[in-house]
Amino acid sequence: MRLPPPPPPHRPRPPGVGANGRNVDMARFEGMFKDFKAELMGTLKETTDCVKKLEASQQQLNVSVQRLEAQVAASSHNAYARVCNSRAGATEPLQPLVREKAPSQATDPAVGSRPPGDCFPATRNDVLQLKHEAFKVLAAFYGNDFGGSNAILPVRCRCFGDFIGVTGL
């Protein structure tokens, strides 16, 4: 009868190897990697949130720039119209001004829109013929009361004339 071979000699575990045979350094590395990954994911979320806020701010800025562009275009148009109106004779056509003020209500006209219908006087002489009802429409459109609703017609005509570039009324 033969004897079984002797058991292998007991070898001590090498340093860094745990009881389950895993490398202790590897377990520590995996823990550090897990912590680093969690930190990175948190930073990524913060960065994504910041990018979303920046995009929203950029959209608001674009809207503001578009409003300013419309106001500059309206102001430029009106500056030219006022110069033309200042040179117009008594029966020569006047250039209508567009709205410069931003709407304060949903029913207000947009910046750059022209006055409704034929409410804008055609000539310098027509400015002197405006009545209180016409001033109501013009005041509502331009957002300017032209001397106030209680002012007498010559005062309102003069204020409106100054507004559109027609002086000496």
Side-chain angles (χ1 to χ4, degrees):
M1 160 162 245
R2 266 186 117 178
L3 292 172
H10 178 66
R11 291 185 195 168
R13 284 184 284 225
V17 174
N20 65 357
R22 288 189 67 203
N23 188 325
V24 174
D25 288 337
M26 184 62 138
R28 196 171 77 219
F29 174 75
E30 287 174 351
M32 288 171 42
F33 180 76
K34 184 178 177 183
D35 292 344
F36 179 69
K37 182 180 175 185
E39 184 180 331
L40 244 144
M41 293 304 287
T43 303
L44 180 63
K45 183 183 180 332
E46 288 175 13
T47 303
T48 302
D49 292 345
C50 286
V51 167
K52 287 179 183 176
K53 287 178 184 176
L54 278 172
E55 287 172 346
S57 294
Q58 186 177 9
Q59 286 176 338
Q60 289 174 343
L61 185 61
N62 287 342
V63 168
S64 295
V65 167
Q66 287 173 345
R67 280 191 206 129
L68 283 174
E69 286 174 344
Q71 286 179 319
V72 167
S75 181
S76 177
H77 169 86
N78 287 350
Y80 177 75
R82 285 181 177 111
V83 169
C84 291
N85 292 343
S86 71
R87 295 178 178 165
T91 59
E92 294 176 320
L94 296 176
Q95 299 294 316
L97 275 63
V98 296
R99 182 176 171 98
E100 286 184 46
K101 289 188 176 183
S104 58
Q105 302 173 10
T107 57
D108 286 347
V111 171
S113 57
R114 295 189 172 274
D118 60 350
C119 72
F120 195 88
T123 66
R124 180 185 288 259
N125 285 346
D126 292 341
V127 172
L128 297 171
Q129 304 302 315
L130 291 173
K131 303 293 181 212
H132 284 290
E133 286 303 313
F135 280 115
K136 266 185 174 177
V137 173
L138 291 167
F141 178 78
Y142 288 113
N144 185 328
D145 65 1
F146 305 114
S149 59
N150 294 328
I152 59 174
L153 279 175
V155 170
R156 292 193 89 181
C157 289
R158 193 172 325 113
C159 290
F160 181 72
D162 290 344
F163 177 75
I164 65 170
V166 175
T167 57
L169 296 178

